[in-house]
Amino acid sequence: NAGVTQTPKFQVLKTGQSMTLQCAQDMNHEYMSWYRQDPGMGLRLIHYSVGAGITDQGEVPNGYNVSRSTTEDFPLRLLSAAPSQTSVYFCASSSKRAPPALGGETQYFGPGTRLLVL
Amino acid sequence: AQSVSQHNHHVILSEAASLELGCNYSYGGTVNLFWYVQYPGQHLQLLLKYFSGDPLVKGIKGFEAEFIKSKFSFNLRKPSVQWSDTAEYFCAVNAVSGYALNFGKGTSLLVTP
């Protein structure tokens, strides 16, 4: 199992550009989510999905779009990048199917994408 | 809405000192509790978790945490820290009925030789 993978690892954008951050998991997890990490702010939930075709907003959704066409993939789209979106982005996945002792209920994180918007 | 508070934002300890990081949450229902660690330049790794049963849970690398339901607390402890414990530590909570994790703002731990 590769776990949760994210691409790219680093990205520099100019204000107004658009891009998609990719996230994939091979654990057949029904739940996937995107967080952004900023100094002194911890991790804040952007969007999440509880299954293919189902998405919802988290704490800081403005400026971001998501879709979930397959169980494995959960891309995050920045429609028009702004300097305030400079951050480290983490994707995570989890499942309630397995008992907690066997990994259920635990969110597994990807390695992150560092984004700089100039 | 749920919220998670971590009391210490920055902690500096000498090697072999004992560690306790505070975490309190606000939520009226049943919760799952987690501590994650992020070593410099790395992604988040699960340190330990509590779902039910014994409120004292043991995690990796000698860490443990105690869930005190009456105090809505889940403090992280380690009897003797090492230089390699230098990292950022995050407390997180999710409702048993849901999926989304709520994170505290993190505690940056620096262990000096």
Side-chain angles (χ1 to χ4, degrees):
Chain A
N1 278 355
V4 180
T5 58
Q6 291 182 237
T7 56
K9 290 185 178 180
F10 304 96
Q11 184 70 47
V12 179
L13 291 178
K14 294 181 180 178
T15 297
Q17 287 184 313
S18 63
M19 80 159 294
T20 300
L21 307 185
Q22 301 292 345
C23 174
Q25 53 92 8
D26 61 359
M27 298 174 282
N28 198 31
H29 285 173
E30 69 271 23
Y31 179 80
M32 296 184 74
S33 56
W34 277 101
Y35 294 87
R36 60 177 289 172
Q37 183 182 24
D38 303 290
M41 302 294 290
L43 279 83
R44 292 180 292 170
L45 183 64
I46 304 172
H47 284 285
Y48 64 94
S49 168
V50 297
I54 306 170
T55 63
D56 206 345
Q57 297 180 352
E59 181 184 355
V60 288
N62 292 342
Y64 307 95
N65 273 4
V66 292
S67 60
R68 183 99 178 266
S69 56
T70 66
T71 300
E72 295 78 19
D73 301 298
F74 191 45
L76 178 72
R77 296 184 190 84
L78 282 69
L79 304 175
S80 178
S84 61
Q85 293 178 305
T86 293
S87 187
V88 181
Y89 292 85
F90 288 100
C91 180
S93 73
S94 69
S95 175
K96 287 185 181 287
R97 297 195 196 100
L102 296 179
E105 302 273 6
T106 298
Q107 290 202 21
Y108 296 90
F109 285 82
T113 294
R114 289 187 176 273
L115 177 65
L116 173 62
V117 182
L118 302 175
Chain B
Q2 300 172 33
S3 67
V4 181
S5 298
Q6 292 184 237
H7 312 305
N8 317 97
H9 297 296
H10 299 280
V11 174
I12 301 175
L13 294 173
S14 300
E15 275 191 310
S18 64
L19 170 72
E20 181 160 2
L21 301 182
C23 173
N24 285 88
Y25 66 94
S26 65
Y27 183 68
T30 305
V31 296
N32 301 315
L33 300 154
F34 306 83
W35 276 97
Y36 282 86
V37 60
Q38 187 178 31
Y39 297 103
Q42 297 188 25
H43 60 98
L44 279 84
Q45 303 171 40
L46 182 68
L47 203 52
L48 48 77
K49 59 189 179 185
Y50 171 82
F51 294 92
S52 62
D54 189 345
L56 183 63
V57 293
K58 295 190 184 299
I60 60 172
K61 303 186 180 184
F63 286 90
E64 64 179 32
E66 184 176 13
F67 170 48
I68 303 179
K69 189 175 181 180
S70 61
K71 295 185 178 180
F72 297 89
S73 70
F74 190 54
N75 293 353
L76 181 70
R77 300 193 292 247
K78 185 171 184 178
S80 175
V81 295
Q82 300 173 324
W83 176 81
S84 58
D85 293 324
T86 293
E88 191 149 16
Y89 293 81
F90 294 94
C91 181
V93 176
N94 79 325
V96 168
S97 58
Y99 284 93
L101 268 182
N102 283 281
F103 281 87
K105 292 186 177 181
T107 297
S108 177
L109 171 66
L110 173 63
V111 179
T112 60

